[in-house]
Each structure stands twice: as C-alpha cells, then as structure tokens.
Amino acid sequence: MNKTSIAESLPELWKALLETGQMVALSFLITLVFGTLVGVALRLTDHDGLRPNKAFNKVFGAIVNIFRSLPFLILLIAVIPFTRLVVGTAYGPMAAVVPLSIGAIPFFGRVVESALREVSPGKIEAARVMGASTGQIVRKVLLPEAMSPFVAGATLTLVMLIGYSAMAGTIGGGGVGDFAIRYGYQRFNTPVLLASVVVLVVVVQIIQSIGDAIVRGMAHKRD
C-alpha cells in the first residue's frame, strides 16, 4: 500500500480538524448547560445546601457517579442505540456529539458542584437575609462568585472532550482520531500518525493557555 505523505494528507487533516472542532464545540455547549444544572442540583440538595434533600442527593449523585466512572470507549459503544435514536446514525461527527456529551456532563457537573462549595457561606446568608429567592441566589451569588473555578473546570472539560473525540474516531466518529487511524495507523504511516498527534497537542495547548489566561484575569480583577 502506498503511503500518503504529510503534504498530500493536509487537506484531509484540515477536514478532520474541522470535524473535531464541530463535534467538540457542540458537545461542549451541551455539557456547559446540562453540567451546570447537574452541579447546581447536587449543591442545592446537599446537607448544607439551600434546599437539602438527602434522598434525592444520594440517588442523583449515585447516577452521576455511575456515568462518570464508565470508561469512555465502553460508553461510546453502549450508547450506540440511543445515538441512532437521537441523530439517526451512529457514525460521523454529529453522532459522536451524543456520547461526548453523556460522558462529559457528569464530570463537569461534579466540577460545578465543587466550585459552588467554595462560595463563602456568609455571602449566601446575606442574600437570604435580604429576601433573595433560591433562583436569585444561584444566579446572582453562587455562579458569579464561583466563576473562576468554573472557568478553570470548563477549560479542563474542553481539553477532556478533545481527547474523547479522538477516541470516537475508533468507531467512525470522524475527526482527527478517525484520520489518524485511517491514514496513519492502518497504513503504517508513522509521520502522518505523528502529525495527527502534534495537531491535537497544539490545539490542547492553545485552549489551556487561553483558559489559564482568563482565570488569571478574573483573579486580578478580584485583587
């Protein structure tokens, strides 16, 4: 089998990078919304939360932990019927969004819960004394005060999603992972395989640097 040079594979690599961007961006947005809701629900219903509910917190927390503990590759295969039901196919970037979101939401939910725990109880109590509702405290106290660890956790989640997206390529999810397997691994083309790795590393470094810069900027504003 003829090996494709890195230069010849650039158009396909660029296409794969766009597919990765598409699936990661969409799954990240879904994760931000639902992961935040999960984290807020866990924090509010905890024993020292605004709406303590021991039974709900234990059951819901156990469900979150189950999905969080599943290896992503197993989850990827296990949700194929559900993925087919949602998007009509189990292959391609759009199909990969479903397992990516399911895998990341529990992780980010715990990140949000942990971030909300760092909010000073005094500020929460002050808001309650002034008559703020639970919703108002969440929107105007908890989330704003936890924004710095929230952004740090979101950056970590985004980086994790990029790694997950590469694994999605093993079952035809598209993206750089799929490109690395088809053009690198299956064709014994080490340079192309390494080029795929370098591209992902560069993307991750850029995202991490941007996230760290945002967190530092928020910390300086508080000083």
Side-chain angles (χ1 to χ4, degrees):
M1 183 182 292
N2 293 328
K3 290 186 178 181
T4 305
S5 68
I6 294 178
E8 291 172 332
S9 65
L10 282 178
E12 286 296 326
L13 179 56
W14 175 247
K15 178 183 176 183
L17 186 58
L18 291 179
E19 288 178 348
T20 293
Q22 176 188 8
M23 71 174 86
V24 169
L26 186 52
S27 57
F28 181 61
L29 290 175
I30 294 171
T31 298
L32 281 182
V33 174
F34 289 97
T36 300
L37 292 176
V38 167
V40 169
L42 287 170
R43 182 67 190 110
L44 291 181
T45 58
D46 203 0
H47 66 94
D48 58 346
L50 293 171
R51 290 289 184 269
N53 188 322
K54 185 177 179 180
F56 174 85
N57 190 270
K58 280 189 173 296
V59 173
F60 190 50
I63 294 172
V64 170
N65 288 340
I66 289 172
F67 278 95
R68 186 182 168 194
S69 62
L70 284 175
F72 181 69
L73 192 56
I74 294 176
L75 176 66
L76 195 63
I77 297 169
V79 301
I80 284 178
F82 180 68
T83 300
R84 231 184 241 115
L85 179 67
V86 173
V87 297
T89 180
Y91 301 98
M94 289 304 297
V97 169
V98 176
L100 285 173
S101 301
I102 294 175
I105 286 171
F107 174 82
F108 188 62
R110 286 299 187 184
V111 168
V112 172
E113 180 193 16
S114 178
L116 296 179
R117 286 186 185 279
E118 296 183 20
V119 178
S120 170
K123 294 183 178 181
I124 298 173
E125 190 58 34
R128 295 183 72 172
V129 169
M130 290 188 291
S133 66
T134 300
Q136 290 172 328
I137 293 174
V138 170
R139 293 192 308 271
K140 298 180 180 180
V141 180
L142 285 176
L143 290 178
E145 289 295 322
M147 193 53 62
S148 183
F150 183 95
V151 172
T155 303
L156 181 64
T157 303
L158 183 54
V159 169
M160 183 187 74
L161 280 169
I162 293 173
Y164 280 1
S165 73
M167 279 190 274
T170 60
I171 62 167
V176 176
D178 182 57
F179 170 86
I181 291 172
R182 288 191 295 115
Y183 290 88
Y185 177 74
Q186 292 179 350
R187 300 185 184 187
F188 305 100
N189 196 333
T190 302
V192 169
L193 183 59
L194 290 176
S196 305
V197 173
V198 169
V199 166
L200 288 178
V201 169
V202 170
V203 170
V204 166
Q205 291 299 319
I206 291 173
I207 290 173
Q208 189 65 59
S209 298
I210 293 173
D212 290 345
I214 294 174
V215 171
R216 285 195 300 269
M218 296 174 78
H220 288 157
K221 286 183 179 179
R222 287 182 175 273
D223 293 341

